[in-house]
């Protein structure tokens, strides 16, 4: 079903956001390595602080948006991100880079929950999966494009382009919110009524409700692996002999495969509320993460990333879908979804950094430490599944 014009504008803002944020945060790690001589453990520590801020800001953003309005938070978010990029560009000291990152993280967390909420707004049980599917495909595709092209832009446009290019994009997003709000209000006033909240929630009766808990538990673990990899990507690239541009192309494979998985999961909905698909993705996540971290050749990186992209795709898609399916407070639930992502963004790099500081003579310490935590997470998923079956047997949880 073709989305209304208002939803198309929302997807445009989302795509621009994903491209700009992917370019900045991913290539900031290369900048810190090249200009400030940061090692993997310092990048991991910065990633952990970024994730900690992300958790608090996402919860605040989701709740504030539910009360103050989606567009107010979007404007604060886009303008704040633009200002933080300008600060990073104008003041090159390490301290100001960290201040810029902190401000950017806080204000970015005002945007994603709102975009998720507007995407799912005024949708019934029949159209909601389609809207979420397209939302996932848009951000994953543009994020992959940002990473794939980022290495070339980093080299051709200069390292400071990680600031001024996103800044221009965020200013454009800020300006677009003004006509967007007018179009949104006009559309909402004319849109045909949908079934009431009770009818939509009724669709969830008989569905295994514990899948939302499973997805909320698994998604932080997925982001633990993602952000551990992003923090050490400059080191992985250097060990294999890749330039920044080459690293952008080679290490974008998992981004691309995640986008591909979103397309498949969007059109094929047989994975909904199926435990075996979900747990299989988590097992693939563990094996592929460890394989990427220990890779010694380009072909090894590519094969492992194909599996990693498919696994992270299903886990993320599950988290967002189960968060929104049958939910009324979509802004707040979007904030919870993003906060749990922040927990993973913080947890993975924190564990990786701690392991490298505690075992400085073991360069693979972060890989094994994070993998160990993932195995504990796998046990937690099985425990939640078993506890649900004990409490209330359900006919089909395949």
């Amino acid at each position: 079903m073709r989305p209304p014009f208002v939803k198309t504008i929302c997807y445009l803002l989302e795509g621009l956001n994903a491209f700009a944020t992917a370019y900045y945060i991913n290539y900031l790690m290369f900048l810190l390595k090249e200009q400030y001589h940061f090692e993997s453990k310092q990048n991991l520590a910065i990633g952990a602080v970024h994730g900690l801020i992300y958790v608090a800001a996402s919860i605040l953003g989701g709740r504030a948006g539910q009360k103050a309005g989606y567009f107010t938070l979007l404007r604060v978010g886009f303008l704040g991100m633009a200002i933080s990029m300008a600060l990073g560009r104008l003041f090159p000291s390490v301290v100001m880079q960290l201040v810029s990152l902190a401000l950017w993280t806080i204000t970015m967390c005002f945007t994603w929950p709102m975009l998720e909420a507007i995407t799912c707004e005024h949708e019934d049980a029949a159209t909601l999966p389609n809207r979420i599917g397209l939302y996932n495909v848009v951000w994953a595709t543009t994020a992959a494009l940002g990473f794939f092209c980022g290495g070339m832009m980093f080299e051709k446009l200069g390292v400071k382009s990680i600031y001024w290019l996103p800044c221009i994009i965020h200013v454009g997003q800020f300006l677009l919110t003004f006509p967007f709000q007018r179009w949104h209000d006009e559309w909402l006033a004319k849109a045909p009524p949908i079934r009431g909240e009770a009818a939509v929630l009724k669709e969830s009766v008989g569905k295994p409700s514990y899948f939302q808990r499973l997805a909320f538990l698994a998604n932080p673990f997925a982001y633990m692996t993602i952000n551990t990899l992003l923090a050490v990507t400059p080191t992985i690239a250097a060990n294999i002999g890749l330039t920044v541009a080459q690293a952008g192309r080679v290490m974008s494979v998992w981004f691309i495969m995640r986008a591909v998985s979103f397309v498949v999961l969007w059109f094929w909905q047989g994975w909904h509320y199926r435990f075996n698909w979900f747990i299989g993705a988590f097992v693939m996540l563990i094996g592929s993460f460890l394989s990427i971290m220990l890779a010694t050749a380009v072909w090894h990186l590519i094969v492992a990333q194909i599996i990693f992209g498919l696994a992270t795709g299903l886990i993320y898609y599950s988290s967002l879908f189960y968060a929104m399916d049958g939910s009324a407070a979509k802004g707040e639930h979007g904030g919870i979804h993003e906060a749990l992502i922040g927990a993973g963004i913080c947890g993975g790099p924190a564990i990786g950094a701690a392991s490298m500081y505690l075992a400085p003579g073991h360069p693979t310490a972060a890989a094994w430490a994070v993998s160990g935590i993932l195995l504990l997470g796998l046990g937690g998923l099985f425990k939640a599944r078993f506890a649900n079956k004990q409490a209330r047997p359900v006919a089909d949880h395949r």
Side-chain angles (χ1 to χ4, degrees), residues 32-107:
L32 293 175
K33 180 177 175 62
E34 287 193 1
Q35 294 202 347
Y36 303 100
H37 310 294
F38 278 29
E39 299 177 357
S40 289
K41 57 186 178 182
Q42 284 90 12
N43 277 351
L44 285 165
I46 289 173
V49 174
H50 162 63
L52 189 62
I53 298 171
Y54 199 115
V55 174
S58 292
I59 295 175
L60 174 63
R63 291 177 178 175
Q66 206 67 43
K67 294 178 181 179
Y70 300 152
F71 290 93
T72 299
L73 266 291
L74 280 178
R75 289 186 190 114
V76 171
F78 292 141
L79 186 59
M81 293 166 78
I83 292 172
S84 66
M85 293 295 91
L87 290 175
R89 173 65 181 86
L90 294 174
F91 302 99
S93 69
V94 173
V95 172
M96 284 308 299
Q97 300 307 304
L98 301 182
V99 170
S100 172
L101 174 61
L103 177 60
W104 177 83
T105 302
I106 293 170
T107 51

Side-chain angles (χ1 to χ4, degrees), residues 214 217 221 275 279 282-283 286 371-387:
L214 286 178
L217 175 63
F221 285 103
F275 181 76
I279 205 69
F282 200 87
V283 172
I286 299 172
S371 296
I373 299 299
L374 293 176
L375 288 173
L376 294 178
L378 180 63
L381 294 177
F382 277 107
K383 182 179 180 181
R385 155 83 163 172
F386 179 75

Side-chain angles (χ1 to χ4, degrees), residues 130-320:
N130 184 64
R131 298 290 177 259
I132 293 176
L134 185 53
Y135 176 91
N136 285 336
V137 170
V138 168
W139 78 255
T141 302
T142 49
L145 184 64
F147 194 89
F148 181 85
C149 298
M152 292 178 284
M153 293 189 298
F154 190 86
E155 291 187 349
K156 300 297 183 182
L157 301 179
V159 296
K160 296 300 183 181
S161 64
I162 71 168
Y163 298 113
W164 60 258
L165 182 57
C167 183
I168 292 172
I169 292 173
H170 296 319
V171 169
Q173 290 175 295
F174 170 76
L175 296 175
L176 185 56
T177 60
F178 291 96
F180 182 31
Q181 182 174 14
R182 185 177 70 253
W183 297 328
H184 170 271
D185 293 344
E186 291 173 355
W187 167 75
L188 207 56
K190 298 177 182 178
I194 62 171
R195 290 174 297 170
E197 178 185 325
V200 175
L201 294 178
K202 189 176 180 181
E203 296 284 341
S204 295
V205 175
K207 296 178 180 178
S209 60
Y210 81 103
F211 269 79
Q212 186 178 86
R213 297 192 298 275
L214 286 178
F216 276 173
L217 175 63
N219 207 31
F221 285 103
Y223 271 84
M224 284 176 61
T225 63
I226 289 171
N227 285 272
T228 301
L229 286 178
L230 293 177
V232 302
T233 289
T235 300
I236 294 175
N239 290 342
I240 298 179
L242 300 176
T243 66
V244 176
Q246 290 170 338
R249 292 190 290 270
V250 172
M251 295 301 292
S252 66
V253 170
W254 77 264
F255 281 88
I256 296 168
M257 291 309 301
R258 181 174 61 179
V260 170
S261 74
F262 283 164
V263 174
V264 173
L265 297 172
W266 176 25
F267 285 102
W268 176 70
Q269 299 176 6
W271 58 273
H272 287 185
Y273 300 100
R274 300 297 177 117
F275 181 76
N276 288 347
W277 281 96
F278 188 80
I279 205 69
F282 200 87
V283 172
M284 290 166 56
L285 176 77
I286 299 172
S288 58
F289 165 75
L290 188 58
S291 186
I292 294 171
M293 291 287 286
L294 302 179
T296 56
V298 171
W299 71 266
H300 188 175
L301 271 179
I302 292 174
V303 172
Q305 283 184 86
I306 291 172
I307 300 171
F308 186 76
L310 294 174
T312 54
L314 192 143
I315 291 171
Y316 177 90
Y317 205 132
S318 298
S319 179
L320 183 58

